[in-house]
Amino acid sequence: MTKPTAAEPRPDRVRHSVQAGVTRLRRSWPALLLTALLVVLMVPAALLVAPGFLGPELPAPPPPAPAWQQAPARLSPEAGLTPLSASASIPLASSVTAQVEPLLKADGGGTFTGLVQDALTGQVLFDRGGSDNRVPASNMKLLTAVAALRALGPERRFTTSVKSGPAAGQVVLVGGGDVLLAPGESNGEQVMGHAGLATLAVGTVEALKAAGTSGEIKVLVDDSLFTGPALNPVWAEGDVAAGEVAPVYPLALNSARYDPAVTTGPRPQDPAMTAAEEFAARLRTAAAAAGLTVAAAVERSPVPASASGEEPGKPAVLAEVESATVARQVDLMLQASDNYLAEVLGRMAAVAAGHAGSNDGATAAVRAQLADAGIPVDSIQLVDVCGLATGNQVSARHFADVVRAITTGTDGRLRAALDGFPVAGLSGTLDTRYRDDSTARGAGLVRAKTGTLNTVLALSGYVVDADGRLLVFSFIGNGLTPGAAGNRAALDRAATALAACGCR
């Protein structure tokens, strides 16, 4: 048997060494466990105490902002509608007719006529009796808008002034065509109420004080700018009683309304005197602080203020206020379909042309301005200029021609009427229409003047079709069943078809 070398441990010695190590480990186990426990407790304590020695912990950097919140490296191009292109395809007349024809059906009695044209070329794309004269209702206001913008100019304003009276102690309120006067202070941001009687009264008192006036002041009113019957005899008594219109004078409050927010019901029957009495009340308030009194009664001036003699030391004009521009008044007339304002603008167009400020002068002025604009008028019959009368006779072709003149004609003054066209589903007399599935595609796209009488409906305006082509249209229904809902829907669906048309 071989003996182990000195370098090799004997088995009994190995076993003894292992047993000794285990014994020592057992004896030291409580100390090791205590040490581990102390380490576990010291780590959190150190974390709590460390900031006191190291200072506050720096906040973590914020996450990067999303791309849409970061400053752009370059500016985006200016937003807006792209200009119309003359190269856009003109719709096929056969396709337009196929779209419009089945929609333009009367609900009950009566018939519709209509015309659709390409705005740039005048090419007729749909024609159903387009040259036949019809009762146009308030589409008449489109003709009046053209006449006013041409005869007066878009930037023209109407002046309401106070002048020295024909006798001492008298002042004359002179109507200059502004029927949108407010009783209070002027508000230059508004069309209705751009000029205010309270502002005019303050200016008048200042002028009277500067002239050394004392005693009682008497107010006269001069409304001689307009002549002839103030109430057109062709207007139905029921329409006048319902407040569709009022006697026409060259000055009035709120377009001859007691309250501008109430557009139905009774109206002043002498709007000029109503305005003069309100001015006298405002003058009385302003004059009290200056030691002046104002007589209660207001009378019409016996002679026009322009013919009144001037007292020594007194200016002819004591104070004046100006209306909103004709362009803004035309927009209001079209958006709200304001009969009273239309009649006044027609008379002012007549005065500007050197004619009488009467109904006959207004209708003659409208015809003359249309003819000068290149629109044939031989077959047109006009008995008022607001469209309330049923004796007016105008064709859909005439209205399409007028809309073409406004949108693409050579007379840039007429562009001022574009904002006045109500927008389908959004503004003016179209704000509550184009809401159902059959017309929703026209909402925001169709821009058109409405017309409504008992048996008459009309819609004339413009639209850009699906291919980017500008189209003008006029649809007129006469002899319709009063109140039949399908008739208005027929007009709106026909116009919507044009907006959605990719009719190539």
Side-chain angles (χ1 to χ4, degrees):
M1 182 173 185
T2 305
K3 292 182 180 181
T5 64
E8 294 176 340
R10 292 182 178 181
D12 57 340
R13 289 180 179 177
V14 172
R15 183 168 54 252
H16 175 75
S17 177
V18 171
Q19 289 174 347
V22 170
T23 299
R24 287 194 299 270
L25 181 61
R26 287 175 178 173
R27 289 175 179 174
S28 62
W29 178 254
L32 292 174
L33 184 61
L34 178 61
T35 301
L37 180 60
L38 289 174
V39 171
V40 170
L41 293 174
M42 289 175 66
V43 170
L47 293 176
L48 292 174
V49 174
F53 296 95
L54 301 177
E57 183 180 358
L58 296 176
W68 56 270
Q69 285 186 338
Q70 296 179 12
R74 59 186 179 84
L75 295 178
S76 301
E78 185 176 351
L81 296 175
T82 56
L84 292 175
S85 173
S87 63
S89 300
I90 300 176
L92 293 174
S94 58
S95 296
V96 174
T97 299
Q99 292 283 336
V100 175
E101 183 70 38
L103 300 175
L104 208 57
K105 290 183 177 179
D107 181 3
T111 58
F112 283 107
T113 61
L115 192 84
V116 179
Q117 288 179 291
D118 177 66
L120 290 176
T121 65
Q123 180 179 334
V124 176
L125 305 175
F126 170 78
D127 186 353
R128 184 203 285 178
S131 298
D132 298 344
N133 276 345
R134 313 298 300 270
V135 179
S138 282
N139 274 205
M140 269 294 303
K141 295 180 179 70
L142 290 172
L143 311 187
T144 304
V146 168
L149 291 170
R150 284 178 53 87
L152 297 163
E155 300 305 314
R156 172 74 179 276
R157 298 176 187 268
F158 305 144
T159 301
T160 304
S161 61
V162 178
K163 296 184 177 181
S164 302
Q170 293 181 338
V171 296
V172 185
L173 176 66
V174 184
D178 187 1
V179 296
L180 304 180
L181 293 164
E185 296 181 353
S186 300
N187 185 345
E189 299 299 317
Q190 301 295 324
V191 182
M192 184 84 73
H194 190 277
L197 294 181
T199 299
L200 185 61
V202 169
T204 301
V205 169
E206 290 175 352
L208 291 172
K209 285 171 59 181
T213 304
S214 60
E216 187 177 67
I217 306 299
K218 184 173 182 61
V219 175
L220 307 178
V221 60
D222 176 6
D223 55 11
S224 61
L225 185 63
F226 292 172
T227 59
L231 203 59
N232 194 328
V234 302
W235 290 332
E237 291 183 4
D239 288 336
V240 176
E244 294 293 335
V245 75
V248 182
Y249 289 90
L251 77 161
L253 292 170
N254 310 317
S255 198
R257 293 282 187 193
Y258 291 110
D259 183 339
V262 180
T263 57
T264 58
R267 306 174 76 145
Q269 292 306 294
D270 191 338
M273 186 58 69
T274 299
E277 290 170 349
E278 181 65 33
F279 171 72
R282 299 287 174 162
L283 185 65
R284 190 173 297 111
T285 300
L292 298 174
T293 58
V294 177
V298 177
E299 300 176 1
R300 279 188 162 83
S301 178
V303 293
S306 59
S308 299
E310 296 182 21
E311 293 185 36
K314 278 193 174 182
V317 177
L318 301 174
E320 58 186 24
V321 288
E322 290 192 329
S323 71
T325 63
V326 165
R328 296 186 71 191
Q329 293 193 53
V330 164
D331 287 349
L332 176 62
M333 172 190 70
L334 296 177
Q335 285 280 337
S337 199
D338 191 317
N339 292 323
Y340 197 84
L341 183 55
E343 291 294 324
V344 169
L345 289 174
R347 284 160 174 75
M348 292 302 291
V351 172
H355 303 305
S358 62
N359 179 71
D360 290 346
T363 56
V366 170
R367 290 179 64 90
Q369 292 298 331
L370 291 176
D372 289 347
I375 298 171
V377 296
D378 290 345
S379 63
I380 288 179
Q381 299 178 31
L382 304 180
V383 296
D384 72 9
V385 295
C386 70
L388 190 59
T390 58
N392 296 310
Q393 291 287 304
V394 188
S395 71
R397 183 179 294 275
H398 287 122
F399 287 112
D401 285 345
V402 164
V403 179
R404 276 193 70 210
I406 292 171
T407 55
T408 60
T410 58
D411 190 341
R413 294 173 296 181
L414 303 187
R415 301 289 186 275
L418 287 174
D419 287 344
F421 283 80
V423 180
L426 295 176
S427 67
T429 54
L430 286 180
D431 62 343
T432 60
R433 292 163 63 169
Y434 293 79
R435 300 291 180 88
D436 61 29
D437 292 342
S438 66
T439 58
R441 291 185 68 184
L445 300 177
V446 174
R447 303 196 64 158
K449 179 70 194 76
T450 58
T452 305
L453 290 174
N454 192 36
T455 61
V456 176
L457 287 174
L459 192 70
S460 299
Y462 62 96
V463 67
V464 177
D465 74 4
D467 292 325
R469 197 74 188 184
L470 181 64
L471 309 179
V472 299
F473 63 89
S474 178
F475 305 129
I476 306 174
N478 277 192
L480 303 175
T481 301
N487 291 321
R488 183 170 289 176
L491 293 177
D492 293 346
R493 288 169 185 165
T496 297
L498 297 177
C501 190
C503 303
R504 290 180 290 173

